């Protein structure tokens, strides 16, 4: 019984009879109160009737009964959005997408909710604009698609163009109200039957009495003979005022100019494109795409100031016309692009960055985000170039050296840091600052500077002594040994590097002889276990077998040690204190 009522509700909903659908779904709920799908369907029907409070209650019941069903959150989001609670709608759609990330309905709903949340509060429209505003809601397309009488209109380009015109400017509805298709859609959106000239004539959806009788008397299982319906008379178009006719003609002419401008732009005939876009603006000042298109041409021509003027006009006019957020974002993005082109100093990028950020608040477009990131990077690079001064950097380095000799290490670090701001490519300054950090016990910072020093100049032997000393103080004797040995490849007689190797060998041998405390050994092993190279060695099945043989069968392990690769890994473990060789 519940399934039968549900089927009737679905049929009524598909036909656009939402009130009837809601009644059938209520009957079904009375028979199966635990069925979450029934509450979801009734929520959709009530939302279509703009009874959003009731729709919200049903949506909440849906997710209560079935929390892991994504469609329930779609109903919840639509109800919240209908009540004007965009923030709750966003939260609902995001919960649904967390369950089913690929759900296109939830994605579209989330986009509408975010637009509504970002939109500034607006005064409610009155008069004709109030009716025109009905074409702005997210339910417009779903209603047209659901109604069999209007579904085909979505495939008609001229009708879609009319709808877009009304969406851009609700007052345009007066221009197209004479079109029977627009009247049909308006009747659907108002949920009332608007009387039209052909209403009294038989239509294809209502068969004549003879056909009804034939259908009723046809035996079960046989197909009734189809009767050709009488053709509907074409409704007489309503007369437009002279002013409306002229306005419609101008809009059509403006569109042709825009198309001609687009064609010229593609051919890189920019002067001709400018002429066409300018003519379109003269004919129709209610479409800001003419301004943004002309702005794009000005960018190609290098006329950045003209581009900025057009973009400012587009934003201002777009606000007045309540234009699509994407169009406002496009205008701001093109303005930001022009400002970047005009930037001569790092501070010039500030207004460009701010403009891109404003564009992203209107519409989060990947291209705009990319331009913002590029502008921020360009600003940072230019700041470094503007501050670059090797002479002043050397002066700051010398001041740092003086403070180092006086053992005033914080003051020395301050001057070394300023020297690096003036010349970030001097490896000596990184080496000196690393020495200061070592004296202050800030080993991670010192190690970072020592590594940067060697990155800038891999032949700078002082960098190896700095890095090796820090690693030694951090009790990473195996790593310190490797650093000193790398330095000796460049200068085999460097006494500091030789002394460093000797100290590392002493510490490693002490550990092998058991001459260090258990706590110190444990500390070294803990540090070593954080080394990815050590981890890889210990998790290697071959090396694990080698280690087992070393413990249980020393004679057999000698064959393993003849392998240079295995021997190197064993030495690594010994140096790290993981393995002791006696």
């Amino acid at each position: 019984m519940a399934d039968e009522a549900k089927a009737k509700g679905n049929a009524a909903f598909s036909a656009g009879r939402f009130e009837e659908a809601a009644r059938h779904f209520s009957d079904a709920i009375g028979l199966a109160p635990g069925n979450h799908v029934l509450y979801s369907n009734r929520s959709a029907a009530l939302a279509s009737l703009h009874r959003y409070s009731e729709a919200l209650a049903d949506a909440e019941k849906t997710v209560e009964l079935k929390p892991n069903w994504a469609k329930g959150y779609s109903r919840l989001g639509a109800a919240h959005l209908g009540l004007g609670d965009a923030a709750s709608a966003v939260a609902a759609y995001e919960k649904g997408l967390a369950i089913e990330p690929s759900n296109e309905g939830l994605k579209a709903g989330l986009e509408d909710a975010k637009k509504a949340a970002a939109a500034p509060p607006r005064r409610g429209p009155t008069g004709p604009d109030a009716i025109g505003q009905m074409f702005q809601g997210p339910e417009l397309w779903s209603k047209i698609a659901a109604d069999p009488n209007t579904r085909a209109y979505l495939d008609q380009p001229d009708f879609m163009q009319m709808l877009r015109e009304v969406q851009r400017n609700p007052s345009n509805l007066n221009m197209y109200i004479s079109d029977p298709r627009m009247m049909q859609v308006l009747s659907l959106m108002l949920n009332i039957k608007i009387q039209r000239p052909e209403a009294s004539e038989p239509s294809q959806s209502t068969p004549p009495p003879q056909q009804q009788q034939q259908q009723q008397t046809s035996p079960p299982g046989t197909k009734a003979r189809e009767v050709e319906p009488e053709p509907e008379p074409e409704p007489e178009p309503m007369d437009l005022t002279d002013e409306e006719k002229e306005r419609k003609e101008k809009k059509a002419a403006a569109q042709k100019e825009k198309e001609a401008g687009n064609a010229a732009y593609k051919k890189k005939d920019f002067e001709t494109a400018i002429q066409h876009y300018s003519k379109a603006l003269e004919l129709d000042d209610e479409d800001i795409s003419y301004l943004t298109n002309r702005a794009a041409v000005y960018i190609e021509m290098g006329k950045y100031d003209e581009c900025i003027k057009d973009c400012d006009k587009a934003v201002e006019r777009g606000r007045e016309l309540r234009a699509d957020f994407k169009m406002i974002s496009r205008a701001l993005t093109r303005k930001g692009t022009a400002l970047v082109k005009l930037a001569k100093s790092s501070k010039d990028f500030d207004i460009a960055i701010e403009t891109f950020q404003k564009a992203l608040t209107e519409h989060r477009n990947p291209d705009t985000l990319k331009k913002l990131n590029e502008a921020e990077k360009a600003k940072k690079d230019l700041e470094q170039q503007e501050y670059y001064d090797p002479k002043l950097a050397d002066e700051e380095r010398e001041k740092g050296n003086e403070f180092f000799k006086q053992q005033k290490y914080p003051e020395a670090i301050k001057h070394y840091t300023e020297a690096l701001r003036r010349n970030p490519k001097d490896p000596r300054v990184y080496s000196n600052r690393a020495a200061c950090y070592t004296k202050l016990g800030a080993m991670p910072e010192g190690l970072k500077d020592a590594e940067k020093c060697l990155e800038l100049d891999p032949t700078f032997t002082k960098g190896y002594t700095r890095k090796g000393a820090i690693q030694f103080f951090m009790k990473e004797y195996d790593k310190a040994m490797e650093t000193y040995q790398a330095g000796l490849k460049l200068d085999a007689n460097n006494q500091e590097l030789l002394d460093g190797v000797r100290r590392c060998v002493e510490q490693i041998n002490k550990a092998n002889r058991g001459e260090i405390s258990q706590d110190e050994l444990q500390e070294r092993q803990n540090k070593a276990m954080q080394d990815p190279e050590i981890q890889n060695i210990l998790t290697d099945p071959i090396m694990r077998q080698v280690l087992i043989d070393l413990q249980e069968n020393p004679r057999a392990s000698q064959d393993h040690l003849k392998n240079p690769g295995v021997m190197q890994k064993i030495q690594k473990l010994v140096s790290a204190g993981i393995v002791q060789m006696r």
Side-chain angles (χ1 to χ4, degrees):
M1 293 293 289
D3 288 341
E4 183 181 347
K6 176 188 172 185
K8 291 179 180 178
N10 289 342
F13 186 90
S14 298
R17 302 191 302 274
F18 304 115
E19 191 75 50
E20 180 185 339
R23 286 199 303 273
H24 286 304
F25 291 136
S26 296
D27 293 340
I29 288 170
L31 296 167
N35 189 326
H36 63 282
V37 175
L38 299 176
Y39 288 97
S40 171
N41 289 5
R42 189 170 70 176
S43 177
L46 293 169
S48 299
L49 293 167
H50 304 287
R51 289 156 59 180
Y52 295 112
S53 297
E54 296 169 71
L56 178 62
D58 274 358
E60 288 173 340
K61 184 66 175 178
T62 303
V63 297
E64 177 187 336
L65 291 170
K66 191 78 170 178
N68 61 345
W69 193 48
K71 195 167 186 178
Y73 295 96
S74 177
R75 303 296 190 214
L76 192 61
H80 278 307
L81 195 59
L83 289 170
D85 189 356
S88 297
V90 169
Y93 286 123
E94 287 178 341
K95 285 182 181 178
L97 285 168
I99 297 168
E100 190 177 336
S102 61
N103 190 300
E104 293 298 329
L106 286 167
K107 289 179 182 178
L110 179 60
E111 184 178 354
D112 290 338
K114 285 184 175 179
K115 286 181 182 178
R122 297 173 176 171
R123 293 177 57 189
T126 60
D129 280 354
I131 295 177
Q133 282 294 301
M134 296 182 67
F135 289 79
Q136 303 290 328
E139 70 275 15
L140 171 67
W141 304 107
S142 61
K143 278 194 172 186
I144 294 175
D147 193 314
N149 295 320
T150 59
R151 189 178 299 137
Y153 298 165
L154 297 176
D155 297 325
Q156 300 173 11
D158 62 326
F159 178 74
M160 295 299 291
Q161 180 63 32
M162 284 193 291
L163 272 187
R164 282 192 285 270
E165 288 288 339
V166 173
Q167 285 187 319
R168 274 196 289 266
N169 186 357
S171 62
N172 285 343
L173 180 63
N174 294 329
M175 293 173 54
Y176 306 113
I177 200 67
S178 61
D179 191 298
R181 296 169 297 177
M182 190 63 74
M183 286 293 290
Q184 181 75 25
V185 171
L186 181 59
S187 173
L188 176 66
M189 298 305 293
L190 292 171
N191 202 32
I192 60 174
K193 187 173 182 180
I194 299 177
Q195 198 72 17
R196 295 187 293 157
E198 73 274 22
S200 59
E201 296 292 326
S203 66
Q204 190 170 355
S205 60
T206 305
Q210 295 89 341
Q211 185 178 348
Q212 290 181 350
Q213 183 178 1
Q214 182 177 2
Q215 290 174 347
Q216 291 170 359
T217 58
S218 296
T222 62
K223 186 176 180 180
R225 183 174 59 87
E226 294 184 359
V227 178
E228 291 294 327
E230 292 290 332
E232 289 189 9
E234 289 293 326
E236 291 292 328
M238 292 176 63
D239 291 334
L240 297 176
T241 65
D242 291 342
E243 183 182 348
E244 288 173 335
K245 286 180 180 178
E246 182 182 2
R247 187 180 177 193
K248 192 171 183 179
E249 290 171 357
K250 283 186 175 181
K251 281 185 174 293
Q255 282 295 322
K256 288 183 179 179
E257 292 290 341
K258 176 183 176 181
E259 291 169 5
N262 293 346
Y265 178 81
K266 290 177 181 177
K267 295 176 182 178
K268 298 191 179 298
D269 186 357
F270 300 132
E271 290 291 351
T272 302
I274 290 289
Q275 292 173 11
H276 285 297
Y277 292 138
S278 299
K279 183 63 177 176
L281 277 169
E282 292 173 12
L283 293 166
D284 179 14
D285 67 345
E286 293 183 346
D287 188 338
I288 64 172
S289 69
Y290 307 142
L291 283 165
T292 56
N293 284 15
R294 191 169 70 178
V297 180
Y298 282 136
I299 289 177
E300 295 292 338
M301 298 174 72
K303 296 182 177 181
Y304 305 122
D305 290 324
E306 295 299 321
C307 169
I308 292 169
K309 288 178 184 177
D310 269 4
C311 291
D312 286 337
K313 287 179 188 176
V315 172
E316 181 182 358
R317 188 68 176 133
R319 302 283 190 212
E320 294 172 0
L321 297 170
R322 298 177 182 175
D324 191 330
F325 298 122
K326 292 180 182 179
M327 294 298 297
I328 303 291
S329 176
R330 184 181 301 169
L332 289 167
T333 299
R334 286 179 181 168
K335 178 182 178 181
T337 303
L339 289 167
V340 166
K341 297 287 187 181
L342 289 170
K344 292 182 174 61
S345 68
S346 59
K347 289 189 176 181
D348 291 340
F349 280 94
D350 290 340
I351 187 171
I353 290 170
E354 182 183 352
T355 303
F356 286 133
Q357 289 170 339
K358 286 180 179 178
L360 287 169
T361 61
E362 297 289 339
H363 175 61
R364 196 160 185 82
N365 181 282
D367 181 59
T368 305
L369 184 60
K370 180 183 176 183
K371 289 179 183 293
L372 171 62
N373 292 336
E374 289 173 349
E376 290 174 336
K377 184 180 183 301
K379 172 182 168 65
K380 185 177 179 180
D381 293 343
L382 197 53
E383 281 177 338
Q384 290 181 346
Q385 292 176 22
E386 291 168 348
Y387 208 72
Y388 180 79
D389 191 328
K391 184 177 179 182
L392 289 177
D394 286 340
E395 291 176 6
E396 291 294 333
R397 181 173 60 83
E398 290 299 332
K399 290 178 183 178
N401 292 346
E402 288 299 320
F403 279 111
F404 186 88
K405 291 175 184 176
Q406 299 171 28
Q407 298 184 0
K408 295 180 179 180
Y409 304 120
E411 290 84 352
I413 287 175
K414 179 181 177 182
H415 287 288
Y416 288 142
T417 301
E418 179 61 22
L420 288 171
R421 290 186 64 203
R422 291 291 183 181
N423 182 9
K425 301 296 184 182
D426 190 341
R428 297 172 300 172
V429 184
Y430 280 106
S431 174
N432 291 359
R433 193 170 69 173
C436 287
Y437 281 132
T438 305
K439 294 291 186 181
L440 293 171
M443 299 304 172
E445 291 83 355
L447 182 61
K448 185 177 178 182
D449 270 4
E451 288 174 340
K452 184 66 177 178
C453 165
L454 293 174
E455 177 188 324
L456 292 171
D457 186 0
T459 65
F460 189 54
T461 55
K462 194 70 175 176
Y464 291 97
T465 61
R466 298 286 192 224
K467 182 179 178 181
I470 293 170
Q471 289 170 326
F472 185 88
F473 285 128
M474 295 173 74
K475 298 182 180 180
E476 295 178 348
Y477 304 122
D478 56 321
K479 292 184 179 180
M481 173 84 80
E482 291 176 3
T483 300
Y484 287 134
Q485 289 173 340
L488 286 170
K489 290 179 181 178
L490 300 170
D491 185 359
N493 298 317
N494 186 295
Q495 194 58 47
E496 283 187 272
L497 294 171
L498 290 169
D499 289 342
V501 170
R502 178 181 52 77
R503 290 195 303 272
C504 290
V505 170
E506 287 176 358
Q507 290 298 322
I508 292 170
N509 288 338
K510 280 176 66 177
N512 288 334
R513 292 193 299 267
E515 296 177 1
I516 61 174
S517 67
Q518 191 63 34
D519 290 341
E520 186 177 355
L521 178 61
Q522 186 66 46
E523 182 184 354
R524 284 181 58 188
Q525 290 176 343
N526 289 342
K527 284 186 177 180
M529 290 301 292
Q530 297 174 13
D531 185 343
E533 188 177 355
I534 297 291
Q535 293 173 4
N536 289 335
I537 293 173
L538 293 175
T539 55
D540 183 346
I542 296 176
M543 287 304 301
R544 287 169 65 182
Q545 185 60 48
V546 170
L547 294 174
I548 292 172
D549 288 345
L550 282 171
Q551 290 180 331
E552 299 178 356
N553 190 359
R555 290 185 178 180
S557 66
Q558 295 303 311
D559 292 334
H560 295 308
L561 298 179
K562 293 176 183 178
N563 185 321
V566 171
M567 188 61 194
Q568 184 180 5
K569 291 178 181 179
I570 292 292
Q571 188 59 49
K572 179 78 176 176
L573 295 176
V574 170
S575 300
I578 301 296
V579 173
Q580 294 183 4
M581 302 288 288
R582 291 190 175 90

